[in-house]
Amino acid sequence: MPLNRRKFLGKSAVTGAGVALAGAVGAPGAQAAEARGGRPARRYAFTVMGTTDLHGNVFNWDYFTDKEFDDKDHNDVGLAKVSTLVNRVRAEKGRRNTLLIDAGDTIQGTQLSYYYAKVDPITAKGGPVHPMAQAMNAMDYDAAALGNHEFNYGIPVLRKFEQQCRFPLLGANALDAKTLRPAFAPYSMHRLRTPFGRDVKVAVLGLTNPGIAIWDKANVQGKMTFPGLEEQAAKWVPKLRSMGADVVIVSAHSGSSGTSSYGDQLPYIENAAALVAEQVPGIDAILVGHAHTEIPEYFVANKKTGKKVVLSEPLKWGQRLTLFDFELVWAKGCWEVEKVGAKVLNSNTVEEDPKITRLLSDEHEKVVAYVNQVIGSNAAEMTSAEAPYKDVPIIDLINHIQADTVKQALAGTEHAALPVLSQAACFSRSARIPAGEVTIRDVAGLYVFENTLEARLMTGAQMKAYLEFSANYFVQTAPDAQVDPAKLTNANGTPDYNYDVVSGLSYEVDIAKPAGARVTNVRFGGEALADDAKFVFAVNNYRANGGGNFPHVAAAPLLWSNSDEIRNTMIAWVKAKGSIDPAEFAAVDWRLTRNGTPVF
């Protein structure tokens, strides 16, 4: 829906600081400086807290294992943990000397968020309030930028979420496709009250990711367009300064690396946060998102002014909370940023905020019951224990579902007649789908990452190169040496998730040969694979975006993409079919050999 400019400007004048009026006389953020020529300088300090890539995490809970979240670094997740950190910072700094913002990817990622988008949708008449809206409202967020995953469930779900939030969703580069006007509020303005009579005006400019045009093409094409971050920042930052902003913060759902996942298909830089700091004068700090990396503090010098801009990205899922600490001085009739720094706090150092856990305990219990729901049956137990070195049915299941999904998606298109190949990796050696009843959690536990599915156009020669690269995973083993499966894999530190097997082809991997010359006897339909043969390749977005540095796939033409997670696609497939029978899809299409002799 196009933005009514008069209505928007009236609304934005009071947004967030709704206006976050802050800091009475003597508040912790107000300081008197040493006298200069008999006149003390006026100083004021405040803190902006930031989260990003929360991806539907409220509780420190893993819905796929049905237990408390844990990883090798013993991180914790969820807004309930972050809320405790936020409360402590507000107590320390003074509630009115703080702002709380987010950099996007809020409503997708866990079964909690999936449930309230698809199972009990917030868009239904009289439907529920989204758990992320409830939690973020209770925490008094001041603003949040749009992430690309906000569009995964369609614009109606996003608009309903926007209505339920008591803070603005910002996206200066999310434009109405027809009018080219902002489809969401570009910015919010917040007033922080000082003891010196003049408020500090803090502008938060929200920028989202231009990759939405590709990743969620089905949901946004013809409705919204997403120009580059640098272009829109250059347009809006001077406006914010002319409106009297003393401080300009950008909340950008864009990484800092300056790279893009889609090459020429994406005309704008995907990870442009550092370029925005470098190219657009007038920015004081950037809250970075999208890349799922941790950047406590990173300074970038603006090329035009030489001024250093501080960037910070807290780790995903609520594992960290960024703090931007600002120190301002009154000079020449206005507030100037004298110093700004950043750091992150670790959410595993605190307990969950009982206010948040009580608020959403009912929703949490509903989703726990949902993931333990029986959705089908399985004729024979399948495990991934031997998946790294044998062709096993549980990996074949992933490839079977992916290939079937892509075939259906391309039906009736110019590529419908092409054969479909599929890739999958062993994400967990402990994955198991039992014989008998199968739950949502059983299926989801097979695919632990948030990958989505794509279809790329590949040739036979490119597929051979892809398989050869994948085979680097194995340790070279002489023909007469004893084979120990525990020492056979992960050569040069290659993780299990970077060893892909491909269905639709048959081939051998000769581990007696050196890396780069291992894949032999590659066949399609019983015949030697022709270099010029064309295939549709069902591949996860991580791999398609260059993850693992596999050859050719990132540059291959994109035929189709799906914004839903592969694990949810698998759940829906099993639920629709009602049963799993390995006899229908399991086959030994690849094997390890040494000089032509099978290893197993």
Side-chain angles (χ1 to χ4, degrees):
M1 55 182 285
L3 187 72
N4 183 302
R5 184 174 182 273
R6 181 179 298 172
K7 181 178 179 181
F8 164 68
L9 290 176
K11 177 183 178 182
S12 65
V14 296
T15 292
V19 197
L21 294 174
V25 175
Q31 301 174 13
E34 294 293 328
R36 289 181 181 174
R39 298 184 63 187
R42 296 176 176 179
R43 298 187 189 278
Y44 176 73
F46 70 95
T47 296
V48 176
M49 298 172 282
T51 55
T52 191
D53 297 279
L54 293 168
H55 283 287
N57 285 279
V58 173
F59 297 87
N60 187 42
W61 192 261
D62 185 337
Y63 291 98
F64 299 117
T65 61
D66 204 20
K67 60 184 181 182
E68 185 175 321
F69 176 88
D70 194 24
D71 63 13
K72 62 181 178 62
D73 298 317
H74 302 298
N75 287 303
D76 288 345
V77 300
L79 277 174
K81 289 269 185 174
V82 173
S83 183
T84 300
L85 292 175
V86 168
N87 292 339
R88 290 187 178 185
V89 173
R90 285 171 171 165
E92 177 188 350
K93 306 287 185 178
R95 172 66 181 85
R96 296 184 176 183
N97 301 312
T98 64
L99 295 172
L100 176 59
I101 64 175
D102 183 80
D105 276 5
T106 303
I107 60 172
Q108 174 274 347
T110 63
Q111 288 298 296
L112 181 70
S113 53
Y114 177 82
Y115 186 90
Y116 287 98
K118 294 286 192 178
V119 182
D120 185 11
I122 61 173
T123 49
K125 185 177 181 180
V129 177
H130 199 288
M132 294 302 288
Q134 291 192 58
M136 295 173 81
N137 287 340
M139 293 170 64
D140 290 328
Y141 268 79
D142 292 285
L146 293 165
N148 54 285
H149 284 286
E150 260 64 84
F151 294 84
N152 285 177
Y153 298 122
I155 292 174
V157 170
L158 174 55
R159 286 299 189 190
K160 187 63 177 181
F161 175 71
E162 180 187 29
Q163 292 173 12
Q164 293 177 342
C165 292
R166 295 201 296 263
F167 53 89
L169 299 184
L170 308 178
N173 61 329
L175 308 181
D176 181 273
K178 294 180 180 178
T179 66
L180 298 184
R181 294 176 179 172
F184 294 84
Y187 68 90
S188 57
M189 191 74 78
H190 311 264
R191 290 181 180 272
L192 305 179
R193 183 169 295 164
T194 76
F196 304 115
R198 166 69 187 269
D199 295 344
V200 173
K201 294 179 70 176
V202 181
V204 179
L205 177 68
L207 296 170
T208 193
N209 204 288
I212 295 166
I214 292 175
W215 303 324
D216 268 304
K217 183 177 180 180
N219 290 328
V220 301
Q221 188 173 31
K223 300 174 183 177
M224 293 185 191
T225 185
F226 303 88
L229 283 82
E230 307 101 304
E231 168 193 325
Q232 293 300 302
K235 172 183 176 180
W236 283 100
V237 170
K239 288 185 178 182
L240 296 174
R241 289 293 184 182
S242 69
M243 293 166 62
D246 301 297
V247 179
V248 173
I249 301 167
V250 174
S251 183
H253 193 75
S254 180
S256 62
S257 65
T259 61
S260 285
S261 301
Y262 281 79
D264 294 340
Q265 296 184 67
L266 186 59
Y268 306 106
I269 300 298
E270 175 185 351
N271 296 301
L275 295 175
V276 170
E278 188 178 76
Q279 297 176 15
V280 181
I283 298 170
D284 296 296
I286 300 180
L287 177 65
V288 179
H290 183 62
H292 288 205
T293 57
E294 182 176 344
I295 305 173
E297 183 183 62
Y298 174 46
F299 288 96
V300 175
N302 184 268
K303 284 187 173 182
K304 295 182 180 179
T305 65
K307 175 185 173 182
K308 288 186 177 181
V309 182
V310 63
L311 284 69
S312 181
E313 181 176 6
L315 199 57
K316 64 185 185 297
W317 306 346
Q319 294 178 49
R320 304 288 187 273
L321 174 70
T322 279
L323 303 187
F324 291 107
D325 289 315
F326 288 86
E327 296 180 18
L328 276 60
V329 62
W330 180 264
K332 299 179 181 178
C334 63
W335 288 108
E336 294 181 358
V337 175
E338 187 175 51
K339 182 181 178 182
V340 57
K343 63 182 179 181
V344 295
L345 303 180
N346 194 329
S347 65
N348 73 4
T349 62
V350 296
E351 298 299 318
E352 292 184 321
D353 183 350
K355 174 184 175 181
I356 304 300
T357 57
R358 283 196 302 266
L359 178 68
L360 292 164
S361 60
D362 288 347
E363 287 84 348
H364 173 67
E365 292 302 324
K366 282 183 181 179
V367 176
V368 168
Y370 166 73
V371 299
N372 285 289
Q373 173 186 327
V374 175
I375 56 172
S377 61
N378 181 28
E381 182 184 50
M382 297 182 288
T383 77
S384 61
E386 297 181 319
Y389 48 89
K390 288 184 181 180
D391 190 342
V392 297
I394 201 167
I395 304 299
D396 292 340
L397 175 62
I398 300 174
N399 276 327
H400 181 67
I401 294 174
Q402 290 182 164
D404 190 40
T405 301
V406 167
K407 287 175 185 175
Q408 292 183 42
L410 295 180
T413 72
E414 62 179 305
H415 300 101
L418 289 178
V420 178
L421 310 179
S422 179
Q423 63 78 224
C426 176
F427 293 147
S428 168
R429 297 193 186 198
S430 60
R432 172 180 172 269
I433 298 181
E437 292 184 339
V438 176
T439 67
I440 286 174
R441 186 164 57 83
D442 293 328
V443 178
L446 180 56
Y447 213 105
V448 298
F449 294 112
E450 297 85 15
N451 298 337
T452 57
L453 188 60
E454 299 187 6
R456 299 275 179 145
L457 185 63
M458 298 277 279
T459 67
Q462 290 173 334
M463 290 308 308
K464 289 177 185 176
Y466 190 98
L467 292 172
E468 193 65 67
F469 182 88
S470 187
N472 293 340
Y473 171 73
F474 296 102
V475 175
Q476 187 174 6
T477 309
D480 57 350
Q482 184 177 357
V483 174
D484 180 356
K487 299 179 181 178
L488 186 60
T489 62
N490 307 101
N492 300 311
T494 303
D496 290 347
Y497 62 76
N498 273 345
Y499 173 58
D500 283 1
V501 301
V502 173
S503 71
L505 301 174
S506 62
Y507 56 97
E508 297 175 2
V509 179
D510 193 330
I511 59 174
K513 295 181 179 179
R518 290 176 169 172
V519 177
T520 62
N521 199 25
V522 185
R523 308 179 79 80
F524 172 71
E527 302 292 331
L529 180 62
D531 286 349
D532 61 353
K534 290 185 177 181
F535 299 94
V536 175
F537 190 34
V539 59
N540 70 55
N541 68 312
Y542 172 76
R543 190 71 77 234
N545 291 348
N549 202 31
F550 278 62
H552 304 302
V553 65
L558 175 68
L559 306 181
W560 173 84
S561 64
N562 184 13
S563 62
D564 203 7
E565 298 166 10
I566 291 172
R567 60 190 175 200
N568 288 329
T569 299
M570 294 172 61
I571 290 166
W573 187 92
V574 174
K575 196 170 185 178
K577 189 172 175 59
S579 63
I580 302 170
D581 186 356
E584 296 179 1
F585 54 81
V588 179
D589 292 324
W590 67 273
R591 55 171 46 90
L592 300 185
T593 63
R594 287 186 293 183
N595 290 343
T597 302
V599 175
F600 300 105

